[in-house]
Amino acid sequence: PAHLAKLYRRSSSHTKPNPYWQRDLLRVAAAAEKVGIPYYLWIHEFDDIAERFLIKNRVNFDDPGLFPYLERRYERLLKVVPKTAGFVLTFHESDYKPFRNAEVTSKLNASERMYRLSMLIYGIARRHQKQLIVRNFFYEPLEMEFMKAAIGRLPDDIVVMSKDTVHEFHPFYPPDPLHGNTGKKKQIIEFDLGVEKAWSTQGAYAQTEYIQRYARRARELNLAGMVGRARLLWDKPFEDGHEINLYAFARFMADPGLSVDQVLREWAARRYPEGAVPYVASAMLRTQFINHNGRYHLENWFTKSIGTEWGEYPY
């Protein structure tokens, strides 16, 4: 369509029109429905914003036509995928971030904008008996405070999804302080199962202790559970050693009291001869330290690409 082609030429940060999106989405939806797995649509609320709602490349949040425009869009979406369990509202990963004044113009403050946008999507979801999950993902402490204030005003049947750590998936950053601090709202931890923290997308990386740590944290804080991001940038999740993270996630979610060694040995026994099991488990155990301390040797975050090109800086 012409309007999508125009957006694509404008080098939108996330909009990449693909004629197969709907076909692929419906195929995955049908597979989930067949085995009774509820599935959610991760929406990018300020992607594909029509130019009539832009002022100097900022979204005019106060335009009276903006919310009806968004509402019509999600009503159309639900007609295409009517059996979805609900929406995940991301805030951050959109072409225009509603909490940043550099990208949105409004008389309202950032927290109020986030609240009103959440309530818009919440109303659509409720009208169709769907669940709304609001995702807490921000880089700056002030942005996290904006979100915390908005969450406190939202209805208690909204679910909050937070990353394991502040800022980004990071093995040395502290846990997200919102864990267990959402009042009566259910909360889940979003967990990366391998590649963003890994040494590029190559080699072995069994983050079994790290998975165990956060499964125990979720249990201790009485959270509703965790959701695993399975294999970002990969398309064959069960064909190499990275499968250990999917296996460990399943085992520790069921029983956080299991030991790392037991889970590693269980997984190795599924793939290797009996005599090799202790050696494979021992080798995989060391890969978490290698990846975490190799890529983050100063325990700091520089860029996402550190670790993929080791020759760019001296140490």
Side-chain angles (χ1 to χ4, degrees):
H3 72 285
L4 286 182
K6 189 173 185 179
L7 283 167
Y8 189 66
R9 288 195 301 271
R10 198 168 61 196
S11 299
S12 172
S13 61
H14 288 90
T15 302
K16 299 174 182 176
N18 184 322
Y20 305 110
W21 271 347
Q22 198 168 112
R23 180 204 65 184
D24 293 346
L25 182 61
L26 292 174
R27 185 177 64 180
V28 174
E33 291 165 8
K34 185 176 180 180
V35 292
I37 297 175
Y39 58 93
Y40 294 77
L41 299 175
W42 186 306
I43 59 175
H44 300 257
E45 58 283 355
F46 276 6
D47 274 7
D48 308 343
I49 295 297
E51 287 195 359
R52 67 180 182 273
F53 298 118
L54 301 179
I55 298 177
K56 296 182 179 179
N57 202 33
R58 289 194 297 171
V59 175
N60 182 7
F61 195 91
D62 300 336
D63 189 310
L66 178 62
F67 274 27
Y69 164 81
L70 294 173
E71 187 168 4
R72 289 192 298 271
R73 184 162 71 178
Y74 291 118
E75 287 287 352
R76 290 199 306 272
L77 176 60
L78 286 173
K79 287 182 180 179
V80 175
V81 195
K83 295 183 180 180
T84 181
F87 297 126
V88 176
L89 180 58
T90 176
F91 285 117
H92 193 284
E93 290 168 326
S94 281
D95 292 340
Y96 302 95
K97 300 169 182 60
F99 54 89
R100 288 189 177 168
N101 293 332
E103 301 179 31
V104 173
T105 179
S106 176
K107 296 177 181 178
L108 305 173
N109 62 37
S111 181
E112 182 68 21
R113 297 195 299 264
M114 298 166 82
Y115 169 76
R116 295 196 184 192
L117 187 56
S118 298
M119 289 303 296
L120 170 71
I121 307 301
Y122 174 75
I124 299 169
R126 280 292 299 270
R127 193 155 60 236
H128 293 271
Q129 293 80 51
K130 308 296 184 184
Q131 176 69 57
L132 174 60
I133 300 173
V134 174
R135 182 176 183 246
N136 168 48
F137 167 40
F138 303 98
Y139 284 97
E140 303 296 336
L142 183 59
E143 295 170 353
M144 297 173 69
E145 290 299 320
F146 291 154
M147 183 60 178
K148 184 178 180 181
I151 286 176
R153 299 171 57 196
L154 292 173
D156 284 339
D157 57 345
I158 285 176
V159 175
V160 178
M161 183 165 80
S162 306
K163 288 196 174 187
D164 49 359
T165 59
V166 298
H167 181 72
E168 262 290 8
F169 297 117
H170 192 293
F172 298 110
Y173 277 2
D176 191 315
L178 200 64
H179 292 170
N181 291 307
T182 57
K184 296 180 180 179
K185 296 176 182 65
K186 290 182 178 180
Q187 186 178 27
I188 54 179
I189 293 178
E190 175 189 355
F191 199 89
D192 172 49
L193 292 178
V195 297
E196 283 208 29
K197 292 190 298 294
W199 184 359
S200 181
T201 53
Q202 306 298 319
Y205 175 33
Q207 54 172 340
T208 39
E209 182 277 328
Y210 193 81
I211 295 170
Q212 176 203 57
R213 189 191 319 169
Y214 276 92
R216 288 179 174 179
R217 177 175 175 81
R219 178 69 62 87
E220 290 165 1
L221 295 176
N222 295 314
L223 304 188
M226 298 203 296
V227 55
R229 300 206 327 172
R231 299 275 295 196
L232 181 69
L233 306 178
W234 290 78
D235 61 356
K236 297 176 181 178
F238 304 108
E239 294 188 11
D240 67 12
H242 286 82
E243 181 199 31
I244 178 58
N245 296 315
L246 302 179
Y247 181 80
F249 186 71
R251 295 292 283 129
F252 287 129
M253 284 288 285
D255 183 0
L258 294 172
S259 71
V260 168
D261 185 66
Q262 178 182 340
V263 170
L264 283 169
R265 285 173 176 264
E266 284 179 2
W267 175 80
R270 294 159 58 94
R271 306 249 333 217
Y272 297 93
E274 181 180 355
V277 167
Y279 301 100
V280 171
S282 175
M284 294 298 280
L285 178 65
R286 285 171 280 172
T287 61
Q288 176 177 301
F289 179 88
I290 292 169
N291 278 277
H292 289 183
N293 293 274
R295 187 176 183 189
Y296 307 96
H297 49 268
L298 302 180
E299 299 190 358
N300 291 315
W301 176 277
F302 296 113
T303 71
K304 273 192 174 183
S305 60
I306 290 289
T308 58
E309 294 293 338
W310 290 85
E312 292 182 354
Y313 60 95
Y315 183 68

